[in-house]
Amino acid sequence: MGNKEDVQMMRKTNMRIFPIYKRLAWDYLFFYTIDFLFLTQIKGISASDVMLKSTFHAFFSIVLQLPANIIVEFLGRKNSIILGNILGCLYMVIIMMSGSLFDLIIAEFFSSMAFSIKNVAEPSLLNESIPPSRYKSQIYSKISSKGASEFYFLDAVSKAVAGILFTVNAYLPIILSLLVLIIVTVLSIGFIEPIKKKKKGNAVLMYKVELKNVKQGFVFVLKSERLKALILCAALIYALLQISLTYNVSLEENIGLSSIAIGLIAASGGMISSIASKYQGQFHNKFRNKSLITIAMMLSISVIIAGIVGIGAKESIVLMTLVILAIFMYNFCWGMFHTIIDKYLRNFSNEKIDTKIFAAYNLFRNVFRMIGTLFASFLLDKMATTYCMIIIGVLFTIIYILLGKYMKTRVGLKPEEYSKEERKYDELNQAKE
């Protein structure tokens, strides 16, 4: 884009705004945990249907991923982020007006489109705002984790506040969530587009060109052994995280915890996620290429423990405490995983391929999320939450063990150990050439 001064201004502005933006925009504040209580207690929608809405979110994310990627390439990263935040605002309005599963399905369509666009545009905007160097990965991770850790802190505070406000008026937490999204939309206007493209020809021709580019990017991702292993592992971890998000609140409600107690537990868990996000570098340095599998095993085992001890937790303070500790382990995995995965995916990438990598990841993780939440919803309709968690936890533990063997020779190698094709889009490699 433009001259050297313009590029420097773009980099400085985006790198300054991004952590501030991410702390508010990464996900819905004042919403999660309370959303389950709002939909089941206030709107009278069943727990299995609430879980099912996550399945529809995943389905729409799959269907909309290609259009979302084309939207990002067509509108640019900045304008796409603005659009995604506007769609998020519409989601909150529909949730407040919802009264049936059909209403939730409509709401999830808008939310899926919002996140499909943002999950491609946001990491790509940051990636293209950092100058190429051997330290780019560390800089990216530092900026991203700064925003993430601050988000988790705010998320913790918002969940505690939401739990209290819910007892006053169930709509108040969702109204606050909408207000934050409006602020985020305004804040995203301050970004500067890092990739300036000259648009020529009509819209249909541009669509065809972008579609061709997206297909080429997906072909590269599917040929890369490293990216296939990374995306498969990340998608399976993400699926269990999403299943547990609903199961945990359902379990807390079943063992007799109030909305205030659930909010305070969620707030404490948010603080744990924040701490985990801050120390992702040390975690990676300790476990290296086993980092993702370690997170996966910690997560699945925590689900099993929560399910087993949750059976008698309603009558025992000790068992109830163990349930809460297992949920805290889930929060640790959440914070560690979401900070570390973007860093792994953006390695060996540039502006030609980064949006395609993030799009492929979003596509596959939503495929696994849809399958996982559909099965989890089916179980929840047939048996108690505790038994559902035991079955899901054991199943994913077995999958993760097999996955660890598959990843061993494909992820975490030294740069020179990867093939030339694997590093085709590596900025440092291209700079040397």
Side-chain angles (χ1 to χ4, degrees), residues 194-206:
I195 306 295
K196 298 293 186 181
K197 294 183 178 180
K198 294 181 180 180
K199 302 295 184 181
K200 296 181 180 180
N202 58 51
V204 175
L205 180 60
M206 291 171 59

Side-chain angles (χ1 to χ4, degrees), residues 104-117:
L104 296 183
I105 292 171
I106 300 299
E108 291 307 318
F109 175 84
F110 285 99
S111 182
S112 298
M113 177 59 85
F115 279 108
S116 293
I117 293 172

Side-chain angles (χ1 to χ4, degrees), residues 241-422:
L241 285 171
Q242 290 300 316
I243 292 170
S244 301
L245 188 64
T246 300
Y247 273 4
N248 285 343
V249 181
S250 179
L251 177 60
E252 291 171 308
E253 189 178 38
N254 289 345
I255 63 177
L257 295 176
S258 66
S259 63
I260 293 178
I262 292 173
L264 291 174
I265 292 170
S268 301
M271 295 298 294
I272 292 171
S273 295
S274 176
I275 295 170
S277 179
K278 284 183 179 180
Y279 288 96
Q280 57 82 26
Q282 291 90 323
F283 186 89
H284 167 73
N285 290 336
K286 181 175 182 179
F287 294 102
R288 308 303 298 178
N289 62 340
K290 295 181 180 179
S291 295
L292 284 178
I293 287 298
T294 302
I295 294 171
M297 294 301 296
M298 291 170 67
L299 175 62
S300 63
I301 291 172
S302 71
V303 173
I304 296 172
I305 292 173
I308 293 173
V309 300
I311 295 174
K314 197 169 185 177
E315 292 80 27
S316 170
I317 295 296
V318 174
L319 294 181
M320 188 178 292
T321 301
L322 290 176
V323 167
I324 295 172
L325 290 176
I327 292 174
F328 286 164
M329 180 60 72
Y330 160 85
N331 292 121
F332 174 86
C333 295
W334 181 284
M336 190 62 67
F337 168 74
H338 282 292
T339 306
I340 211 169
I341 188 58
D342 280 352
K343 171 185 173 182
Y344 286 1
L345 290 175
R346 68 140 306 276
N347 285 339
F348 308 147
S349 70
N350 60 16
E351 76 279 358
K352 295 179 180 179
I353 197 64
D354 58 0
T355 56
K356 285 78 174 178
I357 292 174
F358 293 123
Y361 167 53
N362 291 330
L363 175 64
F364 285 105
R365 76 174 183 173
N366 281 299
V367 169
F368 285 99
R369 175 184 177 178
M370 183 182 71
I371 297 171
T373 53
L374 185 62
F375 180 61
S377 177
F378 169 79
L379 289 178
L380 198 57
D381 193 45
K382 302 296 181 182
M383 61 186 74
T385 305
T386 50
Y387 298 114
C388 294
M389 296 182 80
I390 294 170
I391 293 172
I392 289 290
V394 170
L395 180 62
F396 272 89
T397 297
I398 295 171
I399 292 173
Y400 291 151
I401 291 172
L402 297 175
L403 186 60
K405 295 180 179 180
Y406 173 75
M407 293 179 65
K408 192 173 183 180
T409 59
R410 293 172 172 84
V411 177
L413 308 179
K414 295 179 181 178
E416 60 271 16
E417 293 179 316
Y418 289 109
S419 68
K420 187 176 181 180
E421 181 66 20
E422 288 273 9

Side-chain angles (χ1 to χ4, degrees), residues 94-109:
I94 298 173
I95 285 291
M96 283 189 283
M97 298 170 62
S98 66
S100 66
L101 177 60
F102 178 77
D103 294 336
L104 296 183
I105 292 171
I106 300 299
E108 291 307 318
F109 175 84

Side-chain angles (χ1 to χ4, degrees), residues 2-39:
N3 55 42
K4 186 176 180 180
E5 289 74 20
D6 290 337
V7 173
Q8 290 177 341
M9 177 59 70
M10 176 274 293
R11 297 192 192 284
K12 182 178 179 181
T13 300
N14 289 352
M15 291 169 69
R16 175 176 55 84
I17 293 177
F18 194 87
I20 301 172
Y21 167 83
K22 187 168 184 176
R23 76 175 65 154
L24 296 173
W26 198 18
D27 213 336
Y28 302 131
L29 294 172
F30 298 99
F31 185 68
Y32 294 116
T33 301
I34 295 304
D35 67 319
F36 182 87
L37 302 177
F38 177 79
L39 294 172

